[in-house]
Each structure stands twice: as structure tokens, then as C-alpha cells.
Amino acid sequence: MILPFHDDDEVDAAAAVVGPHLAGGGLLGYPTETVYGLGSFATDDGLDALARLKGRPERKPFLLLIGSRLMAERAGLVFTASARALADHFWPGPLTLVLKGGEGRLPERLRGAEGGVAVRHTSHQGMARLIARLDQPITSTSANRSGGPPAPGAAKLAELFAPAVLGGQLIVLDGGVLGNVPPSTLVDCTTSVPTLIREGAIPRDELRRAVGRLAP
């Protein structure tokens, strides 16, 4: 199933379908401010299905897309001084923060080697609205076969994962074709001194101009 996903009415209509689908362990393909993503609810069943679809190790963690900082705090994630400063300046936007916490509220398999959970408050208006409507985070990984380039649009995504779409496991939200945008910048905020893991859409210099010594 491919659903239009361009304006508020289409987002709200999609939410009515996507919510029950994800709650039943289904998967979602969707646009973000960087690339098209694949995701699920943050449950073991959803994560198992997502790992199988991507063809990647089942225990390799996925990041979470949230619709507000409150959503991350409700999940028990902890914002250090650096994380708060970076989130204040760059969220919503293409900045992923690795945060401590979430024990007992999020699956442990979302936790990376550094001991944190990767989280981004998406600036894609449709996805932010959808996540707010669903009132829980959605996992996220680029919409590609493991090792391949990400799909630039819904049609290519549906082609890449045609069996899952035809079988009803994967719903695709069509937000148009995306431009050639770098992935999000990734910062580890699990310690008092943050570490830049990946320099993406937001350069290190911009992080430092914005928050000074609290930047990596």
C-alpha cells in the first residue's frame, strides 16, 4: 500500500491506517528531512521485522524519530547539558543525539556500543505530525538494502521492497522525491563531553558556533 503524504489532511488520513498497522508489528516507509526511511514501533516484533527487511544483523541498533523532546523524556532518556543545548538550537532538524537512559521503557537492543539510544526530533512536518498523532516514537533506518543507496522516493522504495508491500507488511508514505541531502549529524551525548560520531547535514563548525564549548 502506498499512501499520499503531502498535506495535513493526507497525514491525518495516513495516521488512521498507520497506527493499527504498526501496532500489529507492521513496517513503514516514509520521507524525512534527509532521506526516505524504514521504521516500526519500538517493539521487539517490529525490530525483528525491520532487521529482516533490511537484511542487517538483528542486534544492530536503529535510531528513534520523535515528535517532541517530551516524547524522549517520557521514554526515560537523559539530556546532558550538551544534549540540551544542541537540542535547543538544532531540533527539530537533521541532528541525531545519542542519549543515556530508557532502561525498562525502550528495548535494550536499541542501545549502541556506547550505551545510549540514538534519537532525532524530525523537522519533516508530515512525519512530526504523524508521530505526534501516534504519540510514540518510530524507529528509523535508511530505506535501502543493506549496503545499497537509499531510495530517493516512494516508487523506488516500493520497488526495492515489493514483496513486503504486496504482502501488506510494509506501508509506504509518498512525500515526493527527495533531493540529495546528507544524512543527519550524529553526536554521542552519553558522557559530559560530547563526541562527534558522524559529520552530516550540520557541520562541526556550525555546532560550535551555536553552542560553543558544549559542542563536540
Side-chain angles (χ1 to χ4, degrees):
M1 181 187 300
I2 301 178
L3 300 175
F5 198 70
H6 296 90
D7 57 35
D8 287 351
D9 288 342
E10 290 178 347
V11 171
D12 292 344
V17 177
V18 167
H21 174 73
L22 293 177
L27 300 177
L28 187 67
Y30 52 84
T32 73
E33 68 271 45
T34 55
V35 298
Y36 265 80
L38 294 170
S40 67
F41 276 159
T43 63
D44 284 324
D45 286 347
L47 293 169
D48 284 341
L50 187 56
R52 287 193 299 269
L53 184 71
K54 275 278 287 197
R56 66 187 271 179
E58 291 190 1
R59 296 297 164 179
K60 185 176 180 180
F62 298 104
L63 69 86
L64 290 179
L65 288 187
I66 57 173
S68 67
R69 190 190 304 189
L70 177 60
M71 188 174 286
E73 292 170 341
R74 283 204 323 253
L77 296 172
V78 177
F79 287 80
T80 62
S82 291
R84 287 195 300 272
L86 289 165
D88 283 345
H89 196 87
F90 293 104
W91 275 5
L95 175 68
T96 299
L97 301 178
V98 181
L99 304 175
K100 295 186 296 184
E103 291 85 354
R105 303 189 196 182
L106 294 170
E108 280 300 299
R109 59 198 292 184
L110 289 174
R111 203 172 303 282
E114 70 292 308
V117 177
V119 183
R120 183 165 89 247
H121 182 182
T122 180
S123 59
H124 187 282
Q125 292 185 354
M127 282 308 297
R129 184 180 179 92
L130 176 70
I131 293 168
R133 287 285 305 272
L134 299 176
D135 198 32
Q136 59 180 297
I138 292 178
T139 63
S140 185
T141 181
S142 58
N144 61 327
R145 294 291 185 186
S146 191
K156 183 61 177 178
L157 195 163
E159 178 186 326
L160 280 174
F161 301 102
V165 174
L166 293 173
Q169 181 191 27
L170 176 65
I171 290 176
V172 178
L173 303 179
D174 185 358
V177 176
L178 303 180
N180 186 19
V181 179
S184 65
T185 293
L186 180 60
V187 178
D188 179 2
C189 293
T190 58
T191 60
S192 58
V193 179
T195 302
L196 182 66
I197 300 175
R198 178 181 69 210
E199 187 169 12
I202 304 172
R204 184 196 291 267
D205 288 349
E206 189 173 344
L207 299 177
R208 290 180 170 174
R209 281 196 299 271
V211 300
R213 63 180 180 80
L214 294 175

